[in-house]
Amino acid sequence: MSGNSFASISAVSYYLPSGSLTNEQLSKAFPEWSVDKIMQKVGISTRRIAAKDEFTSDLAVAAAQRLFEEYNLRGDDIDYLILCTQSPDYFLPTTACLVHDRLKLSSAAGAIDINQGCSGFIYGISLARGLIAAGDVKNVLFITAETYSRFLHPDDKGNRSIFGDAAAAVLVSADPAGGKIGRVILGTDGGGAKNLIVKNGAVRFPKTDVQTMREDEDGNLFNDNYLYMNGTEIFNFTLESVPALVKDTLERNLLHQEDIDLYIFHQANKFMLDYLRKKIRIPQENFFMSMEHSGNTVSSTIPIAMKRALLEGKIKKGSKVLVAGFGVGYSWGGTVLQF
């Protein structure tokens, strides 16, 4: 099989679980936070929450099945499955293998997990693009799926106000139709790993029975069995890395800022995105935000926003869309999609 000089996102769908956590519920649990204050701070009114018996593989399968139905795809169309998650069903086997089986993909199709967070969508389409460019495959099913709600302590009002559960599925293919994936910029700074982490539960630090709570710099309660986020350090990292990421992504793709029709960033929270948009001087009409009814769904925020932008007519044939992910790791990535 000869290599291809291009790869495109030719289909995109997503799935949100039916459970929810509203601002009214949060305000009732934390009376010092009014409904209006939560909305103003994070730009989220409802987070979708997986049920107790609903796991990452379930969300991933649901998103893929919706993709197959919407775009008339079949399991034997898929040559390779990449699943991005930080909340796998098991340590082993990979969740991708479970999803491969339930979707009845060909036994000749590869299936792997990648453990990547808020930049995971960019990393995943970069890997899919490479497989297609090498000529090894024609169609890659790339799924992002997280159940971060299971990492959140009930008393952690900050993180509970931000994160939601979801899955998204895209088809990356050698078909020229769709959004052609441009040159990709990736970056890593592992020195920031401690600032967004679930410390206990894996091999180095097993989960403990001790439930002693500590208070972070923002007054949020946490312990090492649950997600810890140093909000100040994450904010500082984002303000330093994202403007440079946008600049480098434009340069790598031989474009200028005014050439971009729509910017879709990782949907972290409204306050952060507003600050970034103003700092980079992106016109509001060219900047897409879509998290109010789903929350920060980690690696799924960009494809969910992309699907909504397509449905709203914000992305049309000929549109150039700059997508950028950034966060846990630290890691970051960006590219331009030419529709």
Side-chain angles (χ1 to χ4, degrees):
M1 188 186 293
S2 60
N4 295 284
S5 59
F6 61 83
S8 298
I9 295 177
S10 53
V12 55
S13 299
Y14 65 87
Y15 171 78
L16 300 176
S18 60
S20 64
L21 176 63
T22 66
N23 287 354
E24 288 76 14
Q25 290 170 306
L26 279 171
S27 182
K28 187 175 180 179
F30 306 103
E32 67 275 18
W33 274 21
S34 68
V35 170
D36 290 342
K37 180 179 179 180
I38 299 169
M39 186 65 193
Q40 183 178 6
K41 184 177 178 64
V42 298
I44 300 165
S45 62
T46 305
R47 303 123 203 95
R48 303 299 281 272
I49 306 296
K52 288 184 178 180
D53 60 350
E54 191 174 29
F55 301 95
T56 292
S57 65
D58 301 311
L59 272 58
V61 168
Q65 288 174 336
R66 185 163 293 176
L67 186 85
F68 287 5
E69 292 166 5
E70 289 184 350
Y71 295 90
N72 195 27
L73 297 168
R74 299 178 308 180
D76 55 10
D77 292 325
I78 306 303
D79 304 312
Y80 208 102
L81 167 64
I82 300 174
L83 175 63
C84 178
T85 186
Q86 295 189 312
S87 50
D89 285 26
Y90 306 106
F91 278 129
L92 59 118
T94 62
T95 306
C97 285
L98 308 178
V99 174
H100 175 286
D101 178 60
R102 289 175 61 184
L103 292 176
K104 295 180 169 52
L105 304 188
S106 166
S107 61
I112 62 167
D113 285 359
I114 60 171
N115 180 327
Q116 200 71 15
C118 308
S119 63
F121 181 73
I122 309 299
Y123 273 72
I125 62 172
S126 174
L127 292 172
R129 176 180 179 269
L131 287 166
I132 291 168
D136 292 335
V137 300
K138 289 184 178 179
N139 293 313
V140 178
L141 174 60
F142 173 44
I143 303 174
T144 55
E146 292 291 1
T147 51
Y148 253 44
S149 63
R150 288 188 164 82
F151 297 151
L152 308 181
H153 192 278
D155 294 331
D156 185 351
K157 64 182 178 183
N159 286 325
R160 287 187 69 200
S161 73
I162 294 172
F163 291 104
D165 302 330
V170 301
L171 182 70
V172 182
S173 73
D175 187 338
K180 182 181 175 183
I181 302 168
R183 299 295 298 275
V184 181
I185 292 287
L186 301 172
T188 307
D189 176 10
K194 63 184 180 297
N195 291 320
L196 185 47
I197 188 171
V198 180
K199 184 175 178 181
N200 293 351
V203 177
R204 182 178 290 272
F205 295 103
K207 186 171 282 192
T208 68
D209 294 329
V210 177
Q211 295 297 315
T212 303
M213 303 299 293
R214 304 198 301 278
E215 188 172 295
D216 68 13
E217 71 287 346
D218 297 317
N220 295 310
L221 297 174
F222 76 99
N223 74 29
D224 289 335
N225 287 340
Y226 295 91
L227 180 75
Y228 166 74
M229 178 165 64
N230 185 324
T232 301
E233 289 300 321
I234 294 295
F235 188 72
N236 291 340
F237 149 72
T238 301
L239 293 189
E240 181 179 345
S241 64
V242 176
L245 170 62
V246 170
K247 178 176 179 292
D248 292 346
T249 300
L250 290 169
E251 289 179 355
R252 180 70 64 89
N253 286 279
L254 304 177
L255 294 168
H256 300 286
Q257 195 162 316
E258 56 269 24
D259 296 324
I260 301 300
D261 299 294
L262 197 67
Y263 291 81
I264 300 179
F265 288 2
H266 163 57
Q267 307 288 292
N269 63 70
K270 184 178 185 298
F271 179 80
M272 182 180 287
L273 291 186
D274 280 338
Y275 203 102
L276 285 171
R277 183 186 66 78
K278 293 171 184 174
K279 183 178 177 67
I280 303 171
R281 298 182 179 177
I282 300 171
Q284 196 159 4
E285 62 269 21
N286 300 120
F287 193 77
F288 195 73
M289 280 201 275
S290 181
M291 72 190 95
E292 181 178 352
H293 302 294
S294 53
N296 177 341
T297 55
V298 199
S299 55
S300 292
T301 66
I302 294 174
I304 289 174
M306 189 190 312
K307 178 68 171 184
R308 289 175 176 167
L310 285 163
L311 292 172
E312 292 177 22
K314 303 283 188 182
I315 299 174
K316 310 177 183 71
K317 187 171 178 56
S319 293
K320 294 183 181 70
V321 181
L322 190 149
V323 290
F326 43 86
V328 59
Y330 299 138
S331 63
W332 58 92
T335 190
V336 175
L337 305 175
Q338 170 72 62
F339 284 85

